[in-house]
Amino acid sequence: MPPKQPQPLSRPPHHWPSNVQYLSQPRYHSSVPKHIHDLVCPSSTGQARAPASPQKSPVAIQLISDPSHPAHGQYGLFAAKKIPPRTLILDYIGEVHCDHRPASDYDLSLYRTPDHVSVGVDAQAAGNEARFVNDYRGVKPRPNALFQERKTDTGELRMSVWSGSESIKKGDELLVSYGKSWWKARQNPEPEEDV
């Protein structure tokens, strides 16, 4: 049985930026061909499921006030209650797409088809609380959470945030590894010399 997901909020949570659309479900961009959409989000069986009962979100968006934090003055995602090890915390919701988005810092790889089409989920302009998960580097010795694919109970493929091998204490920031390639892509290129 798939892990139970907290019911998404229908309105933005506290500290939500006014320039970002809040989503409780993925939005599919026109760049996603029908055959890939059907692969990532199979048609439902037509049986309606009873809505899950609303639950208090396990996370909260908070301003980072620690001056030594690399994201000082920005926001992070914090545990609103104790989160057990290896627990689904929330899905990374955004715009599912098949186009190239090198300027986005909120674009995660979701799937790569056998014919090498990349499917991503981008939360730069529209997403949920998961877009506030920061990298552990410069904050803690190792991440306490991770990105991992999962299928919903209707078969939709999603990227999700899970707790790691240890509990996350209430009030702790959720920290993942963005990966070396994410950081490498953001290093300042050497300026070209004039000849």
Side-chain angles (χ1 to χ4, degrees):
M1 181 174 197
K4 189 172 182 181
Q5 171 84 11
Q7 183 72 16
L9 301 173
S10 58
R11 60 186 174 147
H14 190 57
H15 295 303
W16 191 260
S18 60
N19 64 333
V20 177
Q21 182 183 3
Y22 183 77
L23 298 176
S24 61
Q25 296 293 321
R27 178 172 70 194
Y28 284 80
H29 187 261
S30 60
S31 64
V32 180
K34 183 180 180 336
H35 73 283
I36 293 176
H37 181 280
D38 292 347
L39 185 69
V40 174
C41 185
S43 299
S44 64
T45 61
Q47 296 176 350
R49 289 190 172 270
S53 58
Q55 298 177 15
K56 183 179 189 280
S57 176
V59 295
I61 302 165
Q62 294 180 12
L63 181 66
I64 297 170
S65 58
D66 180 352
S68 67
H69 195 296
H72 175 255
Q74 299 175 41
Y75 288 90
L77 196 62
F78 291 78
K81 61 183 182 180
K82 182 180 177 183
I83 300 171
R86 296 177 186 86
T87 299
L88 171 64
I89 301 170
L90 76 166
D91 290 331
Y92 189 91
I93 302 294
E95 185 171 66
V96 178
H97 67 92
C98 289
D99 54 353
H100 188 56
R101 300 187 177 188
S104 177
D105 285 339
Y106 298 87
D107 192 17
L108 297 179
S109 176
L110 180 62
Y111 181 73
R112 190 167 175 90
T113 68
D115 55 345
H116 308 291
V117 175
S118 293
V119 181
V121 57
D122 186 1
Q124 181 163 319
N128 71 343
E129 297 91 335
R131 74 186 300 280
F132 290 95
V133 172
N134 287 314
D135 189 86
Y136 78 98
R137 291 166 179 84
V139 183
K140 296 282 184 187
R142 64 182 182 272
N144 60 5
L146 59 126
F147 290 121
Q148 187 173 327
E149 296 171 0
R150 78 173 188 101
K151 287 201 176 197
T152 66
D153 54 0
T154 60
E156 184 176 14
L157 181 63
R158 296 213 180 152
M159 185 58 67
S160 302
V161 180
W162 293 74
S163 57
S165 59
E166 297 178 13
S167 295
I168 301 173
K169 296 178 200 160
K170 180 179 179 179
D172 280 359
E173 184 176 7
L174 274 66
L175 298 165
V176 298
S177 174
Y178 287 177
K180 291 178 184 177
S181 61
W182 189 91
W183 289 106
K184 187 175 181 181
R186 281 146 187 84
Q187 289 177 342
N188 292 332
E190 304 247 344
E192 294 182 25
E193 293 183 25
D194 291 336
V195 184

